[in-house]
Amino acid sequence: MTKWSHIVGDVEDVFRAIADPVRRALLDRLFRHNGLTLGDLCDGLDMTRFGVMKHLRILEAAGLVTARKVGREKRHYLNPVPIRLIHDRWVSKYTGPMAAALIELKSALEGSAVGAEAVVQVYQIVIRTTPERLWRALTESSFARRYPFYMNIDSTFEPGAPIRFVNDKGVTAVEGEILESDPPRRLVYTWVIRYDAKFADEVSRVTWEIKTIGAPGDSLCQLTATHDVTNAPLTASHVVQGWSLILSGIKTLLETGEPLIITRNV
């Protein structure tokens, strides 16, 4: 196994990570309340902090948990993208108890990846591509129309410029304002849903971060999507299932050249 193979999304790593009951218990806690500290996760467990940290490292290595600094605290977030990716690439091809179990897990993780108290959604995936090509996938309609945005993107991507996601009928589905643009590393914009009036007063913020990992020449990028829904509770519950699908679609398109095929049972 290469140094970065587990990060790329080794299927065995995901199944190995969820095979342990303690790690499943940690995922369950993040399922109910996202963004917990190590102390929060240790509370009530008959295990040392060091033991919990070891389990968290395995979950992070499998991509099922991401961590970020919030002030002085390190908070942990449930990341359903690896489950989504396995499902989209493999489960739709097969049937049986394992497939059914994975579908159930996928639905559970995506359906409650944001707890009632969470104000930030964090999703992460590693893609074998260059930062420049990944930036194009996030900003150019020729890419965005082929993964599960399925829309044209209209923006100059200059700070202060508007951004619009427009469907095939010319209707703006989502719009916002570019807050930061640092190609090919970081893109931040506000997010306002326009296809349903009940979301019209909620302004949230989407941050894309691209980081090169691995040895020079590996062409591996870590893509992190952070959706700050602090003031958008309706938006939070509405979009949570969509982001993991979008990241899975971007990875599939850039690595295979083919769009993600969504089957009826997804």
Side-chain angles (χ1 to χ4, degrees):
M1 181 179 290
T2 66
K3 179 180 179 182
W4 297 102
S5 62
H6 67 289
I7 299 178
V8 174
D10 193 319
V11 173
E12 293 182 1
D13 286 342
V14 176
F15 282 109
R16 188 180 301 116
I18 63 177
D20 186 276
V22 174
R23 292 194 284 273
R24 291 198 301 271
L26 293 174
L27 290 176
D28 282 341
R29 291 195 172 192
L30 294 175
F31 174 96
R32 293 188 295 269
H33 302 288
N34 223 2
L36 297 179
T37 65
L38 176 61
D40 295 330
L41 290 167
C42 290
D43 188 29
L45 288 180
D46 186 19
M47 181 175 292
T48 65
R49 287 173 65 92
F50 180 72
V52 174
M53 288 173 62
K54 287 178 64 177
H55 284 294
L56 281 173
R57 282 198 291 268
I58 293 172
L59 290 170
E60 288 185 48
L64 291 167
V65 169
T66 61
R68 64 195 291 263
K69 278 292 190 72
V70 179
R72 294 184 176 181
E73 295 182 325
K74 183 179 181 181
R75 295 190 171 272
H76 301 83
Y77 298 86
L78 185 64
N79 179 35
V81 176
I83 299 296
R84 176 88 231 187
L85 186 62
I86 293 173
H87 177 273
D88 291 340
R89 288 196 174 185
W90 298 105
V91 174
S92 59
K93 299 178 182 179
Y94 306 103
T95 58
M98 182 173 291
L102 189 56
I103 291 171
E104 182 178 352
L105 177 59
K106 176 188 78 73
S107 299
L109 291 180
E110 292 181 344
S112 294
V114 177
E117 299 177 0
V119 294
V120 176
Q121 301 175 14
V122 182
Y123 304 89
Q124 196 171 84
I125 199 167
V126 171
I127 303 174
R128 188 171 294 281
T129 189
T130 64
E132 292 77 15
R133 194 158 182 261
L134 185 47
W135 180 268
R136 290 179 60 200
L138 299 177
T139 59
E140 294 185 10
S141 296
S142 58
F143 285 87
R145 287 173 57 84
R146 300 184 68 207
Y147 63 81
F149 268 151
Y150 301 127
M151 295 186 194
N152 293 305
I153 303 178
D154 181 14
S155 181
T156 64
F157 295 98
E158 296 293 328
I163 181 170
R164 298 167 61 242
F165 295 86
V166 183
N167 65 24
D168 288 337
K169 297 181 180 179
V171 177
T172 298
V174 176
E175 66 179 356
E177 177 185 341
I178 303 296
L179 302 179
E180 299 179 42
S181 183
D182 181 21
R185 290 177 288 273
R186 181 178 171 88
L187 178 64
V188 184
Y189 47 79
T190 58
W191 178 276
V192 182
I193 295 173
R194 294 302 187 196
Y195 53 78
D196 190 326
K198 70 181 179 183
F199 303 110
D201 295 328
E202 293 196 342
V203 180
S204 53
R205 184 176 64 190
V206 174
T207 300
W208 295 100
E209 295 175 292
I210 300 171
K211 179 182 178 181
T212 303
I213 61 176
D218 279 352
S219 296
L220 287 178
C221 289
Q222 178 179 276
L223 176 63
T224 303
T226 304
H227 196 169
D228 187 331
V229 288
T230 303
N231 300 310
L234 295 177
T235 300
S237 60
H238 181 68
V239 303
V240 65
Q241 294 191 38
W243 286 116
S244 58
L245 175 61
I246 287 169
L247 267 69
S248 178
I250 293 172
K251 179 178 177 71
T252 299
L253 179 62
L254 293 182
E255 291 188 345
T256 71
E258 298 295 330
L260 184 64
I261 304 301
I262 307 301
T263 59
R264 291 183 179 181
N265 63 342
V266 173

